[in-house]
Amino acid sequence: MDDPVIKRVLVWSGWLRLSHACIGLAVLVLLFTGWLIAESPSLAESALDLHYLASAFLIFGLVVRIVLMFVGMEHERLHNLFPASSELYAMAKTFRFYISLGRSPMPGWYAQNPLWKPVYLVAYLALIVLVITGAAMPDISIMLGFYLPSVHTFWAQLLFWFTVLHIGSVVLHDYRNKTSDISAMVNGYRLFLIDSDRAASVAENMVQRISIDSLKKNR
């Protein structure tokens, strides 16, 4: 059998990559400064200033991502963050890939990891709750019967574990599956392995289609 063909495809738009960078970096700073505010009173004031600065980047990135859910590329839109029934098998295989630490084969996908789609939705919900509670806490401590500092802490802890698992899984993807997920969020391109016979068939069909189209134009 011939070696597979590697196809480099632009998957993530520049706006989505910008949003991802702003949210990702802001979350790391917010988690660290939030921990300092709670655990180190001597550094709390300085940490709070940096916390608010990072929150501005988070809000910007989150607003961009929400806009892309409605006007972005097809696979960046909100409805594609809900797993389809056809993705259940891929979700199960991806779960086996994780629990085997990459020894089990991993299915392919085009954009979002199907197993992580519902997790992404929870993560976006967590970010929205954190923004609202963080903005409200300086003025009020109770909203709709909820004690805001406790709500803020709960969702921050949830976001911390999401961040740990997300970083770990992406590193595992690149190390064991060679899907270029890390570089894809920098340059927008993912690598896809295509069977050489299938690639030749696709190329032949493309040539035939172009030839037919050109014939129609010349008639």
Side-chain angles (χ1 to χ4, degrees):
M1 180 182 292
D2 294 333
D3 292 333
V5 175
I6 298 176
K7 182 70 173 178
R8 189 168 181 260
V9 181
L10 178 64
V11 174
W12 303 118
S13 67
W15 280 109
L16 187 132
R17 284 178 277 139
L18 176 63
S19 168
H20 185 271
C22 289
I23 292 174
L25 294 175
V27 164
L28 293 176
V29 175
L30 287 165
L31 289 173
F32 180 65
T33 55
W35 176 80
L36 287 177
I37 292 169
E39 302 296 333
S40 181
S42 61
L43 298 175
E45 186 174 348
S46 299
L48 185 60
D49 292 336
L50 188 56
H51 198 76
Y52 283 131
L53 178 62
S55 67
F57 283 90
L58 172 63
I59 292 171
F60 171 77
L62 191 57
V63 168
V64 171
R65 186 62 187 97
I66 291 173
V67 170
L68 291 175
M69 289 180 183
F70 300 95
V71 300
M73 298 170 67
E74 178 64 22
H75 53 273
E76 297 173 351
R77 299 196 178 192
L78 179 61
H79 63 86
N80 273 308
L81 287 176
F82 293 90
S85 58
S86 59
E87 295 177 312
L88 294 178
Y89 178 71
M91 293 172 72
K93 288 196 68 175
T94 305
F95 181 73
R96 287 197 294 271
F97 173 82
Y98 288 144
I99 62 175
S100 67
L101 296 179
R103 289 186 290 271
S104 176
M106 190 175 197
W109 58 78
Y110 181 72
Q112 290 94 350
N113 182 333
L115 183 63
W116 280 80
K117 285 185 177 183
V119 184
Y120 292 148
L121 289 173
V122 175
Y124 289 132
L125 174 62
L127 291 172
I128 292 171
V129 172
L130 288 168
V131 168
I132 294 173
T133 54
M137 278 194 304
D139 300 318
I140 58 176
S141 59
I142 297 178
M143 178 185 292
L144 301 176
F146 293 98
Y147 184 56
L148 295 187
S150 296
V151 174
H152 197 79
T153 300
F154 170 81
W155 286 97
Q157 291 174 342
L158 190 69
L159 189 64
F160 168 78
W161 288 112
F162 164 81
T163 303
V164 171
L165 293 173
H166 183 58
I167 294 174
S169 67
V170 171
V171 171
L172 184 63
H173 292 176
D174 267 27
Y175 178 68
R176 299 293 296 185
N177 202 46
K178 298 177 176 60
T179 52
S180 68
D181 285 351
I182 295 176
S183 61
M185 272 301 168
V186 177
N187 56 44
Y189 287 87
R190 293 192 69 210
L191 300 179
F192 296 90
L193 297 180
I194 305 173
D195 180 79
S196 57
D197 293 335
R198 181 184 172 195
S201 175
V202 170
E204 182 180 355
N205 290 335
M206 287 294 293
V207 170
Q208 290 178 354
R209 186 164 71 240
I210 292 172
S211 299
I212 293 172
D213 290 340
S214 62
L215 286 173
K216 290 180 179 179
K217 290 179 181 179
N218 292 330
R219 287 185 61 181

